[in-house]
Amino acid sequence: MNEVVISTAYITLGQMLKEVGVIDTGGMAKWYLSEYVVYVNEEEENRRGKKLVPGDFVTLTNGEKYQIVTK
């Protein structure tokens, strides 16, 4: 499992996708989430503004898993 380290209270799903290199720009988040299934804490999520906090898990269609952690 990969970790996404944040130094703030939360990161949005769109920002996280950009941070890990799944999308190139923040504007691509809406398209990506309409084309691919993304799970947050094992529930399907399609809102790019969904706030992810430390302890949340994100699973992508290709099976990659990410956990949000703090510094």
Side-chain angles (χ1 to χ4, degrees):
M1 178 173 310
N2 302 308
E3 292 185 343
V4 178
V5 180
I6 61 173
S7 59
T8 57
Y10 66 88
I11 186 171
T12 65
L13 181 56
Q15 291 170 331
M16 193 233 53
L17 292 172
K18 184 177 175 189
E19 179 74 24
V20 300
V22 174
I23 57 175
D24 295 326
T25 65
M28 290 179 66
K30 186 175 182 179
W31 166 83
Y32 184 87
L33 293 169
S34 70
E35 295 290 321
Y36 299 97
V37 178
V38 174
Y39 294 94
V40 175
N41 299 327
E42 299 183 11
E43 293 185 17
E44 191 172 328
E45 184 59 66
N46 60 8
R47 297 174 294 168
R48 63 185 171 148
K50 168 71 175 165
K51 293 179 181 177
L52 305 174
V53 296
D56 284 346
F57 293 89
V58 178
T59 307
L60 304 180
T61 303
N62 63 6
E64 288 186 49
K65 293 185 178 188
Y66 297 91
Q67 181 179 15
I68 309 302
V69 298
T70 56
K71 285 186 177 181

